Amino acid sequence: MSEDLSLNINIKEPRWDQGTFMGRAKHFFMVTDPRNVLLSSDTLEDARVTMENYRSGVVKPGLTEDELWRAKYIYDSAFHPDTGEKMFVIGRMSAQVPVNMSITGSMLTFYRTTPAVVFWQWVNQSFNAVVNYTNRSGDAPMSVNQLSVAYISATTGAVVTALGFKTLASRLPPIASRFVPFAAVAAANCINIPFMRQRELKFGIPVMDENGNRLGESPNAAKQAIMQVVVSRIGMAVPAMAIPPVIMNSLEKKAFMKRFPLLNAPIQVGLVGLCLVFATPLCCALFPQKSSMSVSGLEADLQERIRETSPKTTTVFFNKGL
């Protein structure tokens, strides 16, 4: 019965313990579920209303606890945790598997010519730029000019890096050259993510105490957040860009692949998708979404302000982004 549903369920936090890797993994398997991309606007709006009503102490008639948690994860998959705005659909983490498998599969298939490398790296880094902006930390807006400069810097730097690795590949054995796209993506992530989130590095991201009270903005917290996201993103790429090349290198020697070379791309895309289904949530789970750092690691002026306004606070928390 709806009247039996407790109003004390903490839907501000994930359902599972975020202090453990398994708890975070269960959380992100729900958030990154590719099926969430197919949900209609009405379903997303219903989840948003359910969440907002519950926070206000209003329970929809007949709502069960499982339905409440389902609404929370639909909401979390589509709405930004800091701004509450609906995220651009291909920038959502639930779109990572379907979009990334197509792009990554194409990068691994068409890596032999310079035009192909440039095109697919540009497509990949443009997609990454959208994801990085969509999943940024904080609620401060970016102007069109700031966003344009960040996008051009991120994609240009990443594509130039990829071309550098392409040149290196010409001197490597065939199997080694298959891993060049991964090396390029890993290096490009180190460029793309900081560029797309450069405003955070300059002005900082919001830091809170354990009760969610905002204490200020910290560039140092932004550095930690971005570093963790870079590590997670590179980790996501490892299985998808390392396992399929080994399998495809073996398959291409088989008679049926020589007879039907057009199967190369779809098989490669399928293998990448299989890897990403698991790699995306597991690598998101490497670090807590709600990251933390000691007050002593913050900027001196912010430390002083916190000592004055919240003297008992020794650790601050912040959304690291994804």
Side-chain angles (χ1 to χ4, degrees):
M1 298 293 290
S2 63
E3 58 265 30
D4 295 330
L5 184 62
S6 171
L7 289 173
N8 296 321
I9 299 171
N10 186 10
I11 57 172
K12 292 181 180 179
E13 300 293 336
R15 189 171 192 175
W16 296 278
D17 180 12
Q18 296 301 283
T20 68
F21 176 77
M22 284 305 298
R24 296 194 296 271
K26 290 178 181 178
H27 167 70
F28 282 112
F29 265 107
M30 294 291 289
V31 172
T32 64
D33 187 339
R35 293 174 296 181
N36 290 338
V37 175
L38 303 176
L39 297 175
S40 67
S41 296
D42 288 342
T43 301
L44 297 180
E45 182 61 18
D46 184 61
R48 185 188 67 80
V49 171
T50 298
M51 292 291 291
E52 291 183 352
N53 285 346
Y54 187 83
R55 289 168 183 160
S56 302
V58 178
V59 179
K60 185 169 65 175
L63 185 70
T64 66
E65 183 173 348
D66 283 341
E67 289 171 342
L68 176 65
W69 282 112
R70 174 59 180 157
K72 172 186 166 51
Y73 278 103
I74 290 175
Y75 178 87
D76 286 352
S77 74
F79 294 87
H80 194 278
D82 292 328
T83 66
E85 296 174 351
K86 185 186 289 186
M87 296 184 286
F88 185 49
V89 63
I90 68 168
R92 301 172 193 169
M93 292 309 291
S94 54
Q96 275 285 305
V97 173
V99 179
N100 223 350
M101 66 185 283
S102 302
I103 296 174
T104 303
S106 298
M107 287 171 62
L108 292 174
T109 303
F110 309 109
Y111 66 93
R112 291 182 174 88
T113 67
T114 297
V117 169
V118 171
F119 176 74
W120 285 110
Q121 283 292 339
W122 171 74
V123 170
N124 184 52
Q125 293 310 320
S126 295
F127 169 63
N128 284 343
V130 172
V131 173
N132 295 336
Y133 175 73
T134 303
N135 293 280
R136 67 197 183 282
S137 176
D139 51 12
M142 287 182 74
S143 68
V144 174
N145 184 57
Q146 289 173 322
L147 192 56
S148 299
V149 170
Y151 168 73
I152 293 170
S153 302
T155 52
T156 302
V159 170
V160 169
T161 301
L163 287 175
F165 278 100
K166 171 68 172 62
T167 303
L168 176 64
S170 62
R171 297 191 290 271
L172 296 174
I175 182 61
S177 65
R178 284 183 175 272
F179 291 94
V180 168
F182 165 67
V185 165
N189 271 327
C190 296
I191 298 170
N192 195 316
I193 295 172
F195 267 119
M196 289 306 298
R197 296 178 59 176
Q198 59 185 275
R199 191 186 188 286
E200 299 171 36
L201 293 171
K202 184 176 181 180
F203 298 106
I205 58 176
V207 294
M208 278 79 67
D209 63 17
E210 60 182 2
N211 297 316
N213 299 311
R214 191 162 177 163
L215 302 172
E217 289 74 38
S218 169
N220 286 355
K223 291 175 186 176
Q224 177 176 307
I226 290 172
M227 180 187 69
Q228 291 177 346
V229 171
V230 168
V231 171
S232 294
R233 292 290 188 80
I234 292 175
M236 285 181 205
V238 171
M241 301 195 78
I243 296 174
V246 174
I247 296 175
M248 293 306 299
N249 193 63
S250 175
L251 286 179
E252 286 179 355
K253 298 174 184 176
K254 305 295 183 181
F256 80 95
M257 285 297 289
K258 292 179 179 177
R259 196 178 311 123
F260 305 105
L262 291 178
L263 290 176
N264 190 307
I267 290 176
Q268 193 126 238
V269 169
L271 289 170
V272 169
L274 182 62
C275 292
L276 285 173
V277 165
F278 297 97
T280 300
L282 292 177
C283 289
C284 281
L286 291 176
F287 305 99
Q289 175 79 44
K290 186 179 179 180
S291 197
S292 63
M293 69 185 304
S294 171
V295 170
S296 62
L298 302 173
E299 294 73 18
D301 60 332
L302 183 53
Q303 289 185 44
E304 185 63 30
R305 202 184 324 156
I306 292 174
R307 291 192 189 99
E308 292 175 358
T309 59
S310 183
K312 293 184 179 179
T313 299
T314 58
T315 303
V316 296
F317 301 88
F318 50 91
N319 169 33
K320 70 172 176 63
L322 286 175

